[in-house]
Amino acid sequence: MNTVRKSETNKLKRTHLYYKYTGFYSFVGQSLKQAIIPIILAVAVLIVLDRYVVDFSDLFTYITVTYAPINVLLVFLASESLLGLVPPEIFIAWSDKMPQPILYLTLLATLSYIGGIISYFIGKWIFTIPRVYAYMEGKMKKHLKHIRKWGGFLIVVGALLPIPFSMTSMAAGMIHYKFKNYLLFGLLRFVRFYLYAIAIFSLL
């Protein structure tokens, strides 16, 4: 039993050293630093706008009355499939104004997960078109490099942190990262949505 524990401990130490020396921790730290300031600014702007310019409660109520939920959800799916064009936080705030907020939040998390899967297969498709692949590899060189180096851990980071999950998913598809593992790590996308909802629901 002690031998098994010692082996597991040594494996964890080796893994820790690998991610330390390859720059994984510094990459995550830099990503967090880059993301924290925009998030704080975005939240501050939302609070100021809500108090002095636009009543977001009324705005999202207007959206729910004017547009069918299915249309909003389809727009969100398209965004999450194509490099995360619209911040998910806007849709999370929208779900708070729906008759069943938790249900719609879960739908959003599910669509984000599905959008990531679509991005993954877009990445695989891109791999088959030399010119498109060369262009995208140039645009996503950093993500491809990190996915090749760190694999699943970067997908975890993309699912949880403000790093474009669609871009990480597309990069995973381009390098033919094992789909079964991608699906498993991608489930953490649900965790992010529920954590963000706790903050956003209390603000708006």
Side-chain angles (χ1 to χ4, degrees):
M1 192 72 175
N2 288 333
T3 304
V4 173
R5 286 180 180 175
K6 187 175 181 180
S7 176
E8 290 177 351
T9 302
N10 289 335
K11 186 178 179 181
L12 286 172
K13 285 181 179 178
R14 287 195 299 271
T15 303
H16 165 68
L17 289 173
Y18 170 74
Y19 286 112
K20 180 180 178 181
Y21 290 130
T22 57
F24 177 76
Y25 296 134
S26 61
F27 169 74
V28 173
Q30 288 172 5
S31 298
L32 282 173
K33 287 178 183 177
Q34 291 173 359
I36 284 173
I37 293 176
I39 287 174
I40 291 173
L41 289 175
V43 170
V45 169
L46 281 173
I47 292 172
V48 170
L49 288 175
D50 186 53
R51 289 185 179 177
Y52 302 107
V53 182
V54 179
D55 188 324
F56 280 104
S57 180
D58 289 344
L59 175 61
F60 289 118
T61 299
Y62 169 78
I63 292 173
T64 60
V65 171
T66 307
Y67 301 100
I70 185 64
N71 293 334
V72 178
L73 293 172
L74 286 174
V75 168
F76 178 69
L77 175 61
S79 173
E80 289 294 277
S81 304
L82 300 170
L83 304 181
L85 300 176
V86 184
E89 293 75 17
I90 293 175
F91 294 91
I92 293 173
W94 165 80
S95 71
D96 186 36
K97 303 306 173 186
M98 299 303 291
Q100 296 174 292
I102 299 301
L103 171 62
Y104 280 92
L105 178 68
T106 303
L107 283 173
L108 289 174
T110 303
L111 289 175
S112 180
Y113 183 64
I114 293 171
I117 294 172
I118 292 172
S119 295
Y120 175 91
F121 283 105
I122 288 175
K124 290 195 74 170
W125 169 71
I126 285 172
F127 189 83
T128 65
I129 306 173
R131 287 186 179 179
V132 178
Y133 174 76
Y135 173 77
M136 292 303 292
E137 188 176 47
K139 288 286 184 181
M140 300 172 63
K141 185 176 181 181
K142 187 176 179 180
H143 274 76
L144 289 170
K145 178 184 176 183
H146 293 332
I147 282 282
R148 288 189 179 107
K149 208 166 32 170
W150 301 318
F153 277 92
L154 190 60
I155 295 172
V156 169
V157 169
L160 289 174
L161 302 180
I163 297 171
F165 184 55
S166 176
M167 190 175 290
T168 301
S169 300
M170 196 176 292
M174 288 175 74
I175 68 163
H176 289 243
Y177 183 76
K178 191 176 290 186
F179 185 56
K180 180 175 67 175
N181 291 346
Y182 167 80
L183 290 177
L184 179 63
F185 292 128
L187 286 172
L188 288 169
R189 195 67 175 160
F190 286 85
V191 176
R192 181 190 173 185
F193 270 71
Y194 290 122
L195 289 176
Y196 272 54
I198 291 171
I200 292 174
F201 283 11
S202 64
L203 285 173
L204 300 177

